Amino acid sequence: MKKLLLLLAAIAMALPTFAQDDSDGGTDTTEISVGKRTIIIVSNDDDEDKDVIVMDEEGETIESITVTDEDKKDKKNVKVDFVNLDLGMNYLIDGNSFGVSQENSMLENKPLNSTHFAIHLVKTRVNLIRHKVNLVTAITLDNNRFAFRDPIIVVPDQNSLTLIEDSVSYRKSKLISWHAQIPLLLNFQTSPNNEKRNFHISAGGYAGLMFHAKTKRKGDSIGKVKQQDDFNLNPVRYGVTGRIGYRGLELYCNYNLTSMFAEGEGPEIMPINFGISLTGMM
């Protein structure tokens, strides 16, 4: 009987209703006659669950069940998305305040021009509790661009960070790095089966290695100048990350717990970036 109810409920959800009563305001009732029995399907506009009631010819209830989204959808315990994208901006934290101190003023950046871009490959979501609590990981290629306010040169191949303020003006002066890293997040969703009502939040950490760095300067008198080096950047980094969203919108924030520059080779400055996920939930 239960399989029959589920089948009829599924058919009723897929087809236009032909006998409805919404006098309760927001509640739809669909009746299906099968021989001497009547099957009534009750749904609420604010709820994806359906109540299925079987009644005999005298109006007595024979059986009643509730069909939930979990009954209708066969969700996988391990879900893999091949590409997710993040886009945001970078900022620097020197000590306990946003921005850099007077001592490190040459590193002051332009946040709107200091972009962060991340490509999450083979993003894997593992169901822990009813698809509402999940473990999420991926292989991430993380790109950070720091656009400096002053026309400075970051000198390559030095034992410690060396900055020179140039006498000419630049249209662009950037320090760019790429990291390969692994995030690990605990994810919570309120309505995993209904994207229109789904509030989601994730928190966790990440760790990675730098595999490429360069500087880029552009000006009328110098044209384009690019240099590759490690520029005394920290080759290893780890940090904490958080994400929060509703429906298909998700915001993220990453905060490095390691200094931007290698220990003993530059000031202790922590990068932070935040932005929006371009492909919805991570």
Side-chain angles (χ1 to χ4, degrees):
M1 175 64 74
K2 185 173 182 179
K3 291 183 178 179
L4 174 61
L5 292 175
L6 293 174
L7 177 61
L8 291 173
I11 293 173
M13 292 169 195
L15 296 175
T17 56
F18 51 85
Q20 292 186 337
D21 177 12
D22 57 0
S23 59
D24 293 336
T27 299
D28 292 333
T29 301
T30 302
E31 294 186 5
I32 303 175
S33 295
V34 182
K36 295 182 178 181
R37 295 180 178 179
T38 301
I39 298 175
I40 301 174
I41 301 171
V42 181
S43 62
N44 192 300
D45 289 344
D46 297 328
D47 196 345
E48 291 297 313
D49 296 345
K50 312 289 182 181
D51 293 322
V52 183
I53 304 168
V54 180
M55 306 182 71
D56 60 20
E57 58 184 335
E58 296 179 357
E60 298 292 332
T61 299
I62 300 174
E63 188 168 355
S64 176
I65 66 169
T66 298
V67 183
T68 67
D69 277 343
E70 292 181 358
D71 293 322
K72 293 179 286 180
K73 296 183 180 181
D74 181 19
K75 295 183 71 65
K76 296 181 179 179
N77 286 325
V78 178
K79 181 182 178 182
V80 177
D81 292 329
F82 289 99
V83 178
N84 282 77
L85 305 175
D86 292 340
L87 180 63
M89 59 183 180
N90 279 300
Y91 211 77
L92 296 176
I93 296 180
D94 190 350
N96 296 320
S97 60
F98 281 92
V100 295
S101 63
Q102 185 63 34
E103 181 182 359
N104 301 314
S105 60
M106 292 179 70
L107 290 171
E108 186 177 1
N109 70 315
K110 303 175 183 178
L112 294 179
N113 298 102
S114 300
T115 58
H116 168 257
F117 179 69
I119 307 172
H120 304 287
L121 303 174
V122 197
K123 186 205 75 177
T124 304
R125 184 188 307 277
V126 180
N127 171 41
L128 297 180
I129 304 175
R130 298 181 62 189
H131 300 282
K132 291 188 174 183
V133 181
N134 309 275
L135 198 63
V136 180
T137 188
I139 300 172
T140 300
L141 301 179
D142 199 76
N143 176 251
N144 295 273
R145 295 169 179 257
F146 296 92
F148 301 116
R149 290 192 182 276
D150 297 327
I152 64 170
I153 300 172
V154 186
V155 183
D157 196 24
Q158 300 293 307
N159 292 328
S160 61
L161 178 66
T162 303
L163 305 174
I164 299 175
E165 188 169 2
D166 207 338
S167 58
V168 300
S169 61
Y170 301 149
R171 289 201 300 273
K172 292 181 180 179
S173 178
K174 293 184 177 182
L175 175 61
I176 303 166
S177 67
W178 280 94
H179 289 75
Q181 58 193 41
I182 302 293
L184 186 63
L185 299 94
L186 189 64
N187 164 259
F188 173 76
Q189 303 178 53
T190 58
S191 304
N193 295 312
N194 185 353
E195 293 184 358
K196 293 182 178 180
R197 296 186 303 166
N198 194 25
F199 171 81
H200 37 93
I201 186 170
S202 303
Y206 57 89
L209 299 172
M210 186 179 71
F211 64 87
H212 180 71
K214 67 179 180 180
T215 56
K216 181 188 293 186
R217 291 175 288 135
K218 185 177 181 181
D220 294 332
S221 59
I222 63 169
K224 291 183 180 179
V225 178
K226 298 180 182 180
Q227 291 180 299
Q228 294 188 23
D229 190 60
D230 62 11
F231 299 103
N232 307 101
L233 292 168
N234 201 333
V236 178
R237 77 174 182 185
Y238 55 86
V240 292
T241 181
R243 311 176 79 92
I244 187 169
Y246 181 65
R247 297 186 176 183
L249 174 68
E250 184 169 77
L251 306 177
Y252 71 89
C253 180
N254 303 316
Y255 176 63
N256 281 7
L257 297 177
T258 53
S259 176
M260 180 176 178
F261 299 100
E263 186 177 358
E265 298 183 22
E268 191 170 340
I269 293 177
M270 308 298 186
I272 184 172
N273 53 64
F274 42 85
I276 186 171
S277 176
L278 299 178
T279 50
M281 183 170 54
M282 162 67 173

